[in-house]
Amino acid sequence: MSAAVFVLAINLCVAGIFVTAFLLVAVYTRAVSARWLALAYGAGVVNVGLELILPFQVEPRLFSIGIFAAFLLAQAFAVVGLARNYRLEPPWRLLAGLVLVSMIAIVLIIDMDRRSLLRGLGYQGPYALMQLLGMLVVLRSGRRHVLDLVLLVIYALGALNFLGKPFLAVALGPGINAQAYIGTTYAAISQAVGAVLLIANGILMLVILLRDAMVTMTTQTETDPLSGLLNRRGFEDHAEKLLASARRTGVPVSIVVADLDHFKSINDQYGHPVGDVVISSFSKTLMAAADMGAMTVSGAILGRLGGEEFAALAPGSGLNTAQLFAERVRMQFAAEPVIAQAPDKRPTASYGVAQLRPDEGLFDLLRRADAALYEAKKTGRDRICVAEAEHPLPPPVSVGADRRQGSRRP
């Protein structure tokens, strides 16, 4: 048995293992990308199988074309799976065009001298282009994590491998005919390098799929489905990390807590579906205000703490910045006709603002912000109150309705 046959047998087993692995991932995570990758390695199994039986064929032309087509489709399916995993639209037209042109080209060059560099480039070139399409998908995703960069490198190495094969074939000789190929040194080297890239790509894609599946599951457990914001658990987890970083760097952090006014009466009068609309509308207002940069810095953590209570934790923001953010949210939300059944009714919310003190934890920060929120509720609602600062300051002005009435928080 030649070295190439031995490597092909290994490739067959490895491809079969990856088919099984990706199918299992598809079943347990329902990832569409895993199905395409299983299909890709399934086409790889067909490719290797045809390679193994090619030496026994009297007329190898059709088998040679089948080998080429199977491997080309395997790479095309892999590109689709990669795009699906990165939540991108696959480059369908490029893939279809490349497959069509490549199949026409292989029919035209299959009978050329196997030692011809032109034939080698025509045969291996489409494979290299498929690798470049894989690189393009990774680059379009914008992901720059270690695993994604390593995948980019593997695709680049794959492209270089296919571009270098024609020159290696000319140097070592690919065999006088298709049947003789499998016994050549060129075949042994080509299949060995292919096996390394096959295994590296398969393992890496499995790890990336599992990583992304875990991220998705974590996001689902941390996200409130109605508002699209973090739930209490997610908010607290992210907030603790942010506060720990702020303590190390000395960056100021402020929090805004909000509670919808008379929310129970909205549910009682219009029904819970309308109450859900009000919650969703307030969440969108909160997110829009954060995206507009009202906090002056990015990285604000937004959450629905439960019921009609919300919170926004902003790094790099002092009391004044957080107060301005709360005022922006208050004005925008109060101006929107949220309830279709009563377009003249404008739901409102009350707000409490507090800035993190040295050595203060999230619990105490929330407690002080809640106290300020309670003050806003007690003094008329639809307003903003600020918690006491670290050092004694003049009594803060309550923003909103207080400003209109000229009152001050005692």
Side-chain angles (χ1 to χ4, degrees):
M1 181 172 63
S2 68
V5 172
F6 181 74
V7 176
L8 280 170
I10 293 175
N11 287 349
L12 186 64
C13 295
V14 170
I17 290 172
F18 281 129
V19 169
T20 305
F22 283 118
L23 284 176
L24 289 174
V25 172
V27 169
Y28 285 103
T29 67
R30 298 181 181 179
V32 176
S33 56
R35 300 175 193 172
W36 281 100
L37 291 168
L39 192 60
Y41 278 93
V45 170
V46 174
N47 167 263
V48 177
L50 292 175
E51 290 265 23
L52 287 171
I53 62 176
L54 177 62
F56 306 101
Q57 304 306 307
V58 177
E59 176 48 58
R61 192 172 188 274
L62 187 59
F63 270 80
S64 296
I65 294 174
I67 289 169
F68 175 86
F71 194 58
L72 188 68
L73 288 175
Q75 294 191 72
F77 295 152
V79 171
V80 175
L82 188 64
R84 290 302 189 196
N85 185 67
Y86 285 123
R87 291 175 172 79
L88 298 174
E89 183 66 18
W92 295 113
R93 291 184 179 179
L94 283 175
L95 287 170
L98 181 54
V99 170
L100 179 60
V101 171
S102 300
M103 292 308 301
I104 294 173
I106 193 64
V107 172
L108 296 176
I109 67 173
I110 195 69
D111 293 325
M112 290 176 62
D113 185 354
R114 292 175 57 82
R115 294 166 296 182
S116 166
L117 183 61
L118 180 61
R119 181 188 186 278
L121 290 173
Y123 192 95
Q124 302 291 345
Y127 298 158
L129 290 175
M130 282 293 182
Q131 298 294 300
L132 293 177
L133 279 180
M135 292 180 64
L136 178 63
V137 169
V138 178
L139 291 172
R140 282 178 55 205
S141 72
R143 300 273 190 93
R144 295 296 181 269
H145 299 297
V146 174
L147 291 177
D148 307 295
L149 293 176
V150 173
L151 183 63
L152 197 62
V153 170
I154 289 178
Y155 268 105
L157 291 175
L160 291 174
N161 170 55
F162 291 119
L163 289 175
K165 277 187 175 185
F167 299 94
L168 184 65
V170 171
L172 299 180
I176 59 173
N177 53 39
Q179 296 95 324
Y181 157 78
I182 204 165
T184 64
T185 302
Y186 164 71
I189 296 174
S190 175
Q191 294 299 329
V193 173
V196 172
L197 293 174
L198 169 78
I199 295 171
N201 190 292
I203 291 175
L204 191 58
M205 281 308 305
L206 276 173
V207 174
I208 288 175
L209 281 176
L210 293 175
R211 177 201 66 181
D212 293 345
M214 291 179 65
V215 169
T216 300
M217 287 187 289
T218 300
T219 301
Q220 290 174 345
T221 59
E222 291 184 343
T223 303
D224 172 58
L226 176 59
S227 65
L229 306 177
L230 292 169
N231 57 26
R232 176 175 284 276
R233 172 187 170 184
F235 179 84
E236 291 178 349
D237 287 346
H238 287 266
E240 291 290 0
K241 295 175 183 176
L242 189 152
L243 294 184
S245 175
R247 294 188 192 98
R248 291 194 302 269
T249 59
V251 172
V253 177
S254 293
I255 192 169
V256 176
V257 293
D259 191 271
L260 300 179
D261 296 328
H262 304 295
F263 186 70
K264 185 177 184 300
S265 65
I266 293 175
N267 277 334
D268 292 343
Q269 184 175 357
Y270 301 102
H272 288 281
V274 173
D276 290 347
V277 170
V278 174
I279 287 175
S280 178
S281 177
F282 183 81
S283 303
K284 292 176 182 177
T285 302
L286 195 64
M287 288 187 282
D291 289 340
M292 290 175 65
M295 289 285 197
T296 74
V297 293
S298 60
I301 298 174
L302 310 177
R304 180 188 177 197
L305 303 186
E308 63 272 25
E309 186 178 1
F310 301 82
L313 185 69
S317 299
L319 280 176
N320 290 338
T321 302
Q323 195 170 348
L324 288 172
F325 169 77
E327 177 65 7
R328 182 187 295 273
V329 175
R330 189 195 70 79
M331 293 178 62
Q332 290 179 349
F333 183 64
E336 295 179 0
V338 177
I339 302 176
Q341 294 86 336
D344 58 332
K345 184 177 180 60
R346 300 291 195 273
T348 61
S350 301
Y351 306 81
V353 181
Q355 182 174 346
L356 183 70
R357 293 173 171 175
D359 302 323
E360 185 178 41
L362 178 62
F363 176 80
D364 291 328
L365 178 63
L366 276 170
R367 178 183 55 79
R368 291 194 299 111
D370 279 337
L373 172 63
Y374 175 76
E375 183 72 17
K377 290 281 189 183
K378 187 173 68 173
T379 54
R381 295 181 171 84
D382 187 24
R383 65 194 63 204
I384 302 161
C385 284
V386 180
E388 71 278 8
E390 179 186 355
H391 302 293
L393 292 173
V397 176
S398 294
V399 183
D402 288 351
R403 182 176 289 171
R404 294 191 299 270
Q405 298 170 7
S407 63
R408 297 172 70 89
R409 182 170 67 85

